[in-house]
Structures are given as structure tokens and as C-alpha cells.
């Protein structure tokens, strides 16, 4: 049986605030992101990961799912830094059709990506990041971010440099 640990299943304050934001899809020209007001349970995350990878021996302990795109692709905190708080874990996207990638090295950097008018799916699926600054998300990032504002390109490049084998590691989990 999978146990849910309540201590690390509470949304950090910044994500709780992001959950209150309505993202404008703008007929495919905006941000395709639907934040949750709570993390998915350990059971839901494990079930999804097993079906997504085809590997029914996995558990979802390494992920805290906090949102999705319109097709069901998931945004999550990837708990890969042992002993570090959730806000210091990287943000990843696992798409409904197998797309995946590291979006930001931590929650703070992810807030700056959102402030640039981009969501997790857009970062993973597109090579170019056309910033469309969002004033409300910029203000949210200014209040919660602990890292300096940088371009989405710089944030993504740094995160992917730190975790260069994320996609290959996922491939290794698939059956």
C-alpha cells in the first residue's frame, strides 16, 4: 500500500496562490495550464505514473503533481534533492503523449517562467520562448521568488544543464 505523507503534500504558499490564477488559453496562443489547489494524492500520482510508463512496479513518491494542461499532461515538483524542501525541487512536465522535460530548477524560477507568460507545457514543447509578461503573475513572483528574475531561456537552460538526463531517466522507467 502507498502511504501519503501529509507533511510534504501541502502546497507551498506560492503554488497555493498560483492555484487561484486563471490562465488565458487564448485559442492556443496563451498558456495551457490548469493549476490545482492541492497536490494529487500519492495514490493518484502512482496510478498515473504506472499507466504513463507502462511500468506497474513504480511508485510516484518522487513527484508532487500540482497542475495539468488541457490534454492531461502533468506539471510536478520532482523530489530529486533529498532532504531539501519542496520549493527547492525542480519543476518538470510529463505530457499526455510522452513529452517530458525539466521546466525550472526550483519553484522560484518557475514563478518567473509563469510571469513571462509561459506554462510548463509551452516550455517543454517549444524551442522558442516568446515572453508575454503577465502583470499579476509578475507581482506574485516578486512577492514569493527567492531567485532573481531571468529570462525563461536562461532558467530552462540552467535547469536542463543541472538535470541533463531527466528524459533518459524516464525512458529507463518505461517498459
Amino acid at each position: 500500500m502507498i502511504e501519503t505523507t501529509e507533511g510534504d503534500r501541502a502546497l507551498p504558499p506560492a503554488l497555493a496562490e498560483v492555484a487561484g490564477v486563471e490562465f488565458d488559453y487564448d485559442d492556443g496562443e496563451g498558456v495551457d495550464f490548469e493549476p490545482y489547489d492541492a497536490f494529487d494524492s500519492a495514490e493518484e500520482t502512482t496510478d498515473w505514473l504506472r499507466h504513463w510508463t507502462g511500468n506497474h512496479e513504480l511508485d510516484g513518491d518522487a513527484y508532487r503533481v500540482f497542475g495539468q494542461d488541457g490534454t492531461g499532461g502533468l506539471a510536478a515538483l520532482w523530489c530529486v534533492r533529498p532532504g531539501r524542501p519542496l520549493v527547492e525541487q525542480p519543476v518538470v512536465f510529463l505530457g499526455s503523449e510522452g513529452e517530458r522535460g525539466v521546466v525550472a530548477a526550483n519553484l522560484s524560477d518557475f514563478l518567473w517562467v509563469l510571469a513571462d507568460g509561459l506554462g510548463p507545457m509551452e516550455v517543454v514543447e517549444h524551442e522558442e520562448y516568446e515572453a508575454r509578461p503577465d502583470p499579476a503573475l509578475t507581482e506574485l513572483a516578486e512577492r514569493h521568488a527567492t531567485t532573481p528574475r531571468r529570462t525563461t531561456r536562461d532558467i530552462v537552460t540552467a535547469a536542463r544543464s543541472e538535470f541533463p538526463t531527466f528524459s533518459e531517466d524516464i525512458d529507463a522507467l518505461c517498459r
Side-chain angles (χ1 to χ4, degrees):
M1 172 175 222
I2 302 163
E3 293 184 30
T4 301
T5 311
E6 291 302 322
D8 65 354
R9 289 282 168 186
L11 284 181
L15 275 183
E17 200 167 323
V18 167
V21 174
E22 189 168 325
F23 289 82
D24 185 6
Y25 182 61
D26 191 24
D27 294 322
E29 299 300 315
V31 178
D32 187 3
F33 181 52
E34 302 165 18
Y36 299 163
D37 60 4
F39 286 126
D40 276 352
S41 70
E43 295 82 6
E44 290 170 306
T45 302
T46 293
D47 186 57
W48 185 88
L49 187 63
R50 286 176 176 174
H51 285 88
W52 191 76
T53 62
N55 183 342
H56 294 279
E57 296 174 16
L58 294 175
D59 65 48
D61 287 350
Y63 302 95
R64 300 297 178 271
V65 175
F66 64 85
Q68 68 178 44
D69 72 355
T71 67
L74 301 179
L77 294 173
W78 176 35
C79 300
V80 67
R81 293 175 172 140
R84 305 266 294 274
L86 289 177
V87 298
E88 294 180 15
Q89 304 297 340
V91 174
V92 297
F93 178 76
L94 303 165
S96 63
E97 300 299 319
E99 316 87 344
R100 70 278 191 137
V102 178
V103 176
N106 53 56
L107 181 56
S108 179
D109 284 346
F110 179 64
L111 296 175
W112 292 122
V113 170
L114 294 177
D116 261 358
L118 297 159
M121 184 274 298
E122 289 83 15
V123 167
V124 169
E125 290 191 4
H126 303 291
E127 292 293 317
E128 296 299 318
Y129 310 120
E130 181 182 331
R132 296 176 307 262
D134 181 299
L137 287 166
T138 298
E139 194 273 325
L140 189 155
E142 287 170 345
R143 282 188 287 108
H144 290 283
T146 57
T147 55
R149 185 169 194 162
R150 294 176 291 153
T151 67
T152 294
R153 165 116 359 252
D154 288 347
I155 289 169
V156 172
T157 299
R160 291 183 182 167
S161 292
E162 186 176 354
F163 302 102
T165 63
F166 176 73
S167 189
E168 291 82 6
D169 293 346
I170 294 290
D171 284 341
L173 298 175
C174 297
R175 292 198 176 206

